[in-house]
Amino acid sequence: MRSIVLKSSLSALLSLAGIFGAIQTVAAQPSSESEPALEIKVKVADYPDSMQNVLLLGRYYGGSQYIIDTAVYNAKTDEYVFRSERPKEKGLYLLITNDKRFAEFILDEDQRFSIKTRFPNLTEHIEFSGSPENQLYMDFIEAGKADYAAMNEAQEAFKTAKESNDTVAQATWRQKITALFDRMDQHKADFIAAHPEHLMAAVFKAQQDIEVPDAPESVPDSLKREWQYEYYKEHYFDNLDLCDDRLLYTPIFHQRMTAWLDKVLYMQSPDTIKYAIERFVEKCRCSKELFKYAIWYPVDKYQRSEIIGQDAIWVHIAKKYYLTGEAYWATPSIVENFRKRITRVEPLLIGNRPPEFACPDTTVDSPHENFISVFSSPKRYTVIIFWSMTCGHCKKSLPQWLEFYHEKGKELDMEIIAICKDFEVEDWKKYIREHKFDWINLNGKTATADYNDLWDIVSTPTVYILDQEKRIVTKRIDQEYAEEFIRLWEREHAAR
């Protein structure tokens, strides 16, 4: 069942918790003798003297909110004035008090108007003069207040009925809630029809989910749900005007994009996700700002992803747009940093063959020390573990890998090569004997190449699993998931 919270502004779409933690401050622009492009006069009744010196102007951008201007109180006119010689981006803006209270308003074509409100509940008392866009939205909010209040009451009643296991009352309240949702949806549809160019019409339409048709009769029954999923995935943004820059300056574009990535595409392979993103980016080309965000956000998101294999997503998007010069906002230094990072990361993507290197085995202190390549094992799978004797997690995980090696090594045709990064030879040998590590042990203090850089080793333990052709099966994985990934690799490659 859907749920709704009574709000008299768009903030119902996105929590503002922590707003000031994500805010950047931009100095107020000086006024001009000529008529400014933007002039917003604000009066706040009952604003405490202790906080009255300034009022802040904020705006949405993607998934964040930023302070972009500050207005100082003018005692003579009893008002705050935000001025700019250039117009601001069209979108949803915020009036913010010193104690972090806020009210939202629309900034569109006309950027010269007045606002009156009252402290502490700025939103409830807000009034506009000279701003038809804002007045239309306030009228919409006012007309819907009764339905929002009725919805809260109905949901509370349904909750009580559910707690008392009153199935008859539950059914009654469920019907009322459904009817209220339908009426509220119709209210939004009427607004869209009456004011199609209004910012909130674009937002309301973007909130609407698409209708997925039945699969064609030619599609086998076993594949009908998959057909509908593919349709939903490809048409997910049909109700968003991807040529409308204004949507980036509201919460809705980021909200819909993250839901698409995190829920619709979540279980898909990195290849599926990266090509879906690429198709989406191409649809955004008609909007300079949406195009930028549609590239920047996935690259940022998947660079930070802890899901195995998703680094391939940001590498693909960054290569296509940053390294080709299509990311018009990127400075040469940013592009060069991407180039360097991709050069390091790309050989380590799943399915690729990482750079080869060798380290000495336990004969390291003998006249005829033996260097062993990490590619030396002829077995079907090679697990390479970079570890340290002082690493607490290594002390827990290596015994688990040893047990896995003894139980599954023969069945999986698997070898383990463990590279100790940082200890003297005798201490290392003693540790190996005490813990009965009977796999291939190499001393990483000496190597034929800088494996820390080539294999992106920034912490221990770091684990890679290679197949017989020395392609990466998986990486940075705990032992408990190793067999699952190996079996998955076998199924995928057996089918090729």
Side-chain angles (χ1 to χ4, degrees), residues 18-24 63-67:
I19 178 173
F20 276 63
I23 277 174
Q24 295 179 350
S64 301
Q65 307 85 27
Y66 300 89
I67 289 175

Side-chain angles (χ1 to χ4, degrees), residues 205-258:
K205 187 175 181 181
Q207 287 178 298
Q208 297 173 350
D209 215 347
I210 64 167
E211 293 186 10
V212 179
D214 292 334
E217 291 186 5
S218 58
V219 177
D221 289 346
S222 61
L223 298 178
K224 287 187 184 298
R225 290 189 65 182
E226 183 177 347
W227 184 93
Q228 288 186 307
Y229 166 75
E230 291 296 328
Y231 182 95
Y232 183 68
K233 181 179 70 176
E234 290 300 319
H235 293 268
Y236 180 84
F237 292 100
D238 281 3
N239 288 330
L240 270 79
D241 183 353
L242 299 179
C243 296
D244 191 344
D245 285 354
R246 297 176 303 173
L247 294 179
L248 185 58
Y249 299 97
T250 76
I252 191 64
F253 183 76
H254 176 82
Q255 184 187 56
R256 295 293 283 174
M257 187 174 182
T258 54

Side-chain angles (χ1 to χ4, degrees), residues 291-353:
F291 175 76
K292 173 182 175 180
Y293 198 81
I295 294 168
W296 172 85
Y297 179 72
V299 170
D300 179 69
K301 173 183 175 67
Y302 291 109
Q303 280 191 90
R304 295 180 286 105
S305 175
E306 295 182 356
I307 298 177
I308 295 170
Q310 287 197 340
D311 47 359
I313 300 171
W314 79 259
V315 168
H316 176 82
I317 301 300
K319 285 182 67 177
K320 183 172 179 62
Y321 296 103
Y322 281 94
L323 300 194
T324 60
E326 290 206 68
Y328 63 87
W329 60 92
T331 64
S333 63
I334 289 175
V335 173
E336 184 58 26
N337 286 338
F338 269 117
R339 193 182 310 279
K340 290 178 180 178
R341 183 64 180 155
I342 290 170
T343 299
R344 178 171 180 170
V345 171
E346 192 167 26
L348 304 175
L349 299 180
I350 289 176
N352 289 350
R353 184 182 169 104

Side-chain angles (χ1 to χ4, degrees), residues 308 350 473-474 477 481-490:
I308 295 170
I350 289 176
V473 173
T474 189
I477 187 173
Y481 305 110
E483 183 176 4
E484 177 184 350
F485 274 84
I486 289 173
R487 300 295 188 193
L488 177 63
W489 182 269
E490 287 181 340

Side-chain angles (χ1 to χ4, degrees), residues 20 27 43 73 129 142 149 159 171-172 198 216 239 245 263 282 328 366 379 494:
F20 276 63
K43 291 190 175 184
Y73 178 63
S129 176
E142 189 64 31
K159 181 180 177 182
T172 300
H198 196 281
N239 288 330
D245 285 354
K263 297 178 181 179
E282 294 305 313
Y328 63 87
S366 71
K379 294 190 176 180

